Amino acid sequence: MVLCYSRNKCATVVDREDGSLLVRAGVEDTLFTGAVEMVVRVPDLEIVSVEGEVRRAFHEECREATSLLHEAVGLRIGSGVNKAINDLVGGPKGCPRLADLMLECVDQVILRFTFPRIKEVQSVKEEDRVEATREMLRQNPALLGSCVAFAPGSSLLRDLEIQR
Amino acid sequence: MSLLSFARSKIVGVEHPEQDTLLAHGILDDNIYSLELDVEVKLPLFEITRVEGRWRRYTTVECPHALAKLQNAVGLRIVDKEFGRKIRQVVGKEGCTHFANLLLECCDGIRQAAVYGEWVESQGKRFAQTKRDYCRSKFETVPGLRNSCIVYSRMSKEDF
């Protein structure tokens, strides 16, 4: 069976010398090639610049939507940012594909900061890993309820006291 | 030289084995997680009829329990307005946000295949419809397409 559609998507983060993050997300699929690149200031996670391009699309007019990307400059990565991006860049007057690439960049920023903590937990001996995960939860109570591992009933939360 | 501090790749492939069936296979791989999904969607309702997931790399002893939560997606329609929000809740928050992410990627691939597949197939053959007429015809069969972006909003206005 041959494929009728294929998609490749890649997103990366680079820590820049000034402490800010350079975040890129690109997609190449049967119908579309596009990319978004943003710079995010640390520690307030404000989006200080956004650029993007649509290299290939089903409709020529899709390229017009790249002009909307700059509307996201000034947004901070945190609560409400996904809705703001969808409203400003996606939706009936925008391009959901470009909004999706921006949201991909936002995810990468969050994962960039999650990664060192996970790496630290994974680096301890296997028998100490549950306690290391619980310590990570004590330090980041916002993770509680975010997935099945951190939901009520999880073995990781048994007798765990956390001040929220 | 600057090193990457994080990288994520996603690959989605869609097959069309039957007139009324689209199948997607997706892979997500990043510095932390590695996972795979198979999703089956039936037309014309765009309903998810089967989902199967596999972990390759995860972080806690509880992560494997997220696989069962994938079944919460069965019966949902990928073209529903609230589909993304529902998946992020019943597959993501109740299961795993990364599986929810890959499931939405797969379903978007299926949607793209459903909208543009016939056009792609027609390339190189005689095809009377213009791109605009082709897309307008899809307004009737793919819910949610009308007014979904700058181009389809213009086409929707032309219709009235």
Side-chain angles (χ1 to χ4, degrees):
Chain A
M1 172 73 56
V2 296
L3 294 180
C4 63
Y5 173 86
S6 67
R7 174 182 298 185
N8 262 278
K9 200 186 230 184
C10 183
T12 58
V13 185
V14 170
D15 289 25
R16 304 204 314 170
E17 281 185 11
D18 65 0
S20 63
L21 303 175
L22 176 63
V23 196
R24 293 190 178 112
V27 65
E28 180 125 43
D29 70 23
T30 306
L31 304 146
F32 183 90
T33 304
V36 165
E37 180 174 306
M38 63 166 75
V39 174
V40 176
R41 193 169 59 208
V42 176
D44 61 358
L45 303 187
E46 183 174 317
I47 297 170
V48 292
S49 72
V50 192
E51 283 174 29
E53 61 173 348
V54 173
R55 284 200 172 185
R56 188 169 53 87
F58 193 78
H59 304 283
E60 280 302 311
E61 302 106 296
C62 296
R63 290 187 172 86
E64 293 172 29
T66 53
S67 62
L68 294 170
L69 288 170
H70 75 271
E71 304 267 345
V73 171
L75 293 177
R76 284 190 184 185
I77 295 175
S79 179
V81 72
N82 288 5
K83 185 181 182 312
I85 287 171
N86 278 324
D87 289 349
L88 293 167
V89 181
K93 291 178 182 170
C95 172
R97 303 295 309 264
L98 285 174
D100 175 66
L101 288 172
M102 284 206 69
L103 296 174
E104 205 67 64
C105 289
V106 167
D107 274 353
Q108 302 319 297
V109 171
I110 296 162
L111 287 161
R112 148 70 185 84
F113 288 105
T114 311
F115 181 42
R117 295 200 292 259
I118 300 274
K119 207 171 161 183
E120 208 178 302
V121 169
Q122 299 287 319
S123 70
V124 304
K125 283 188 232 160
E126 202 173 337
E127 57 265 36
D128 298 331
R129 213 163 282 163
V130 168
E131 187 45 42
T133 305
R134 288 156 67 91
E135 184 51 35
M136 183 178 79
L137 280 169
R138 283 186 200 101
Q139 288 172 19
N140 305 282
L143 289 172
L144 284 172
S146 63
C147 68
V148 72
F150 304 140
S154 163
S155 62
L156 296 167
L157 303 190
R158 204 167 294 143
D159 301 325
L160 181 71
E161 279 181 29
I162 292 183
Q163 289 187 331
R164 299 189 82 162
Chain B
M1 187 187 74
S2 303
L3 299 171
L4 290 182
S5 46
F6 197 82
R8 167 172 282 188
S9 299
K10 285 187 271 187
I11 297 172
V12 173
V14 181
E15 299 170 21
H16 199 168
E18 309 280 345
Q19 196 60 34
D20 69 341
T21 309
L22 287 159
L23 289 175
H25 176 67
I27 299 169
L28 181 155
D29 201 79
D30 67 28
N31 290 66
I32 307 172
Y33 304 97
S34 184
L35 44 133
E36 283 184 36
L37 262 185
D38 290 294
V39 193
E40 180 185 83
V41 167
K42 290 279 187 192
L43 306 177
L45 295 178
F46 289 88
E47 185 177 316
I48 295 177
T49 47
R50 189 174 64 86
V51 191
E52 245 177 71
R54 285 169 298 283
W55 277 114
R56 297 280 178 212
R57 197 155 25 84
Y58 52 90
T59 55
T60 78
V61 291
E62 293 284 338
C63 294
H65 294 135
L67 293 176
K69 301 291 181 183
L70 287 169
Q71 301 316 309
N72 291 343
V74 174
L76 296 181
R77 294 178 184 181
I78 70 170
V79 289
D80 279 357
K81 205 177 171 191
E82 292 293 302
F83 176 70
R85 192 188 58 75
K86 278 183 199 161
I87 290 294
R88 277 186 284 274
Q89 176 63 39
V90 301
V91 173
K93 220 169 173 185
E94 293 177 22
C96 169
T97 53
H98 310 291
F99 265 114
N101 184 302
L102 184 59
L103 180 56
L104 290 173
E105 197 77 55
C106 287
C107 291
D108 191 57
I110 285 173
R111 194 167 167 274
Q112 295 282 322
V115 174
Y116 300 105
E118 285 172 50
W119 178 270
V120 172
E121 282 296 308
S122 75
Q123 293 307 286
K125 297 175 192 166
R126 189 187 292 174
F127 200 81
Q129 275 181 310
T130 64
K131 272 186 181 179
R132 281 187 117 71
D133 287 342
Y134 173 82
C135 291
R136 276 202 198 94
S137 73
K138 290 290 169 186
F139 284 172
E140 309 311 319
T141 54
V142 183
L145 192 61
R146 198 185 285 268
N147 290 318
S148 61
C149 71
I150 185 171
V151 179
Y152 291 138
S153 294
R154 283 177 192 163
M155 280 188 208
S156 303
K157 275 182 197 160
E158 289 165 12
D159 282 353
F160 296 105

